[in-house]
């Protein structure tokens, strides 16, 4: 009796395998340093426990942006610039930015100040773009070294 596997199952297994290899290059210290660099100016009401929860949420979104950048790095050998490739995944990046922004608004108890909320949005945007570009360069390097 033969086991029947589908193309989508094999594709998903391959994707998971490549994501695991990429995630080995990340460390918690890198994520923590990045969160501190981008969001250190924001003071959160609620103490240390809430601060740790917000950091972990930022880690999750950073990892997603990192994997998205690495996934789209496959277009780099075709001669496209990173800006053009970033435009390809604009919808996904917008979703990640909005997710992180709404996460901060909901859990951060930041208040209703519009100017502050705008600056928070720009912080979230730069954070996602940073991790997307990190993933892009790591994915591009893995492809050049034929480690994919």
């Amino acid at each position: 009796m033969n086991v029947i596997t589908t193309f989508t199952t094999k594709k998903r297994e391959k994707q998971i395998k490549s994501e695991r290899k990429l995630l080995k290059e990340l460390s918690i210290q890198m994520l923590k340093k990045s969160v501190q660099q981008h969001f250190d100016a924001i003071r959160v009401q609620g103490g240390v426990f809430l601060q740790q929860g917000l950091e972990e949420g930022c880690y999750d979104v950073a990892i997603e942006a990192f994997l998205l950048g690495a996934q789209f790095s496959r277009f780099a050998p075709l001669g496209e610039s990173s800006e053009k490739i970033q435009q390809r995944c604009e919808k996904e990046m917008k979703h990640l930015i909005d997710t992180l922004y709404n996460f901060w608004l909901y859990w951060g108890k930041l208040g209703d100040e519009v100017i502050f909320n705008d600056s928070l949005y720009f912080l979230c945007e730069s954070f996602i773009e940073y991790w997307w570009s990190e993933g892009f360069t790591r994915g591009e390097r893995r492809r050049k070294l034929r480690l994919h």
Side-chain angles (χ1 to χ4, degrees):
M1 196 176 205
N2 293 336
V3 177
I4 299 174
T5 57
T6 62
F7 176 70
T8 55
T9 306
K10 285 290 189 185
K11 183 178 177 183
R12 181 69 182 139
E13 288 173 3
K14 185 178 177 183
Q15 180 183 7
I16 289 172
K17 186 178 176 183
S18 67
E19 286 178 358
R20 282 185 181 158
K21 289 178 184 177
L22 275 167
L23 289 175
K24 287 180 183 178
E25 297 181 20
L26 276 182
S27 69
I28 297 293
Q29 289 78 22
M30 289 172 57
L31 291 168
K32 188 176 193 85
K33 183 179 174 185
S34 175
V35 169
Q36 288 173 350
Q37 286 176 344
H38 285 88
F39 299 108
D40 196 34
I42 298 174
R43 298 287 174 234
V44 178
Q45 302 168 3
V48 177
F49 179 73
L50 186 60
Q51 184 71 29
Q52 289 174 348
L54 284 169
E55 277 186 14
E56 290 174 6
C58 290
Y59 297 165
D60 291 341
V61 178
I63 289 171
E64 289 296 322
F66 181 82
L67 292 175
L68 182 68
Q71 179 186 3
F72 275 82
S73 70
R74 71 178 184 266
F75 295 110
L78 303 176
E80 287 189 52
S81 66
S82 64
E83 293 83 21
K84 201 161 189 105
I85 294 170
Q86 195 172 15
Q87 288 175 354
R88 279 182 177 236
C89 63
E90 185 177 345
K91 183 179 175 184
E92 292 91 347
M93 284 185 65
K94 175 84 167 106
H95 174 70
L96 289 173
I97 293 167
D98 290 343
T99 300
L100 184 61
Y101 177 69
N102 289 327
F103 181 78
W104 270 97
L105 286 181
Y106 185 75
W107 291 105
K109 296 183 177 110
L110 300 172
D112 296 328
E113 195 173 321
V114 176
I115 297 170
F116 185 72
N117 289 345
D118 288 344
S119 65
L120 176 65
Y121 187 83
F122 292 127
L123 287 174
C124 293
E125 188 176 32
S126 69
F127 183 73
I128 296 299
E129 287 176 357
Y130 171 78
W131 280 106
W132 184 90
S133 63
E134 277 291 312
F136 182 81
T137 55
R138 298 279 173 95
E140 192 175 25
R141 187 178 68 205
R142 288 185 68 80
R143 288 187 198 299
K144 286 179 181 177
L145 295 173
R146 296 186 181 177
L147 297 173
H148 56 281

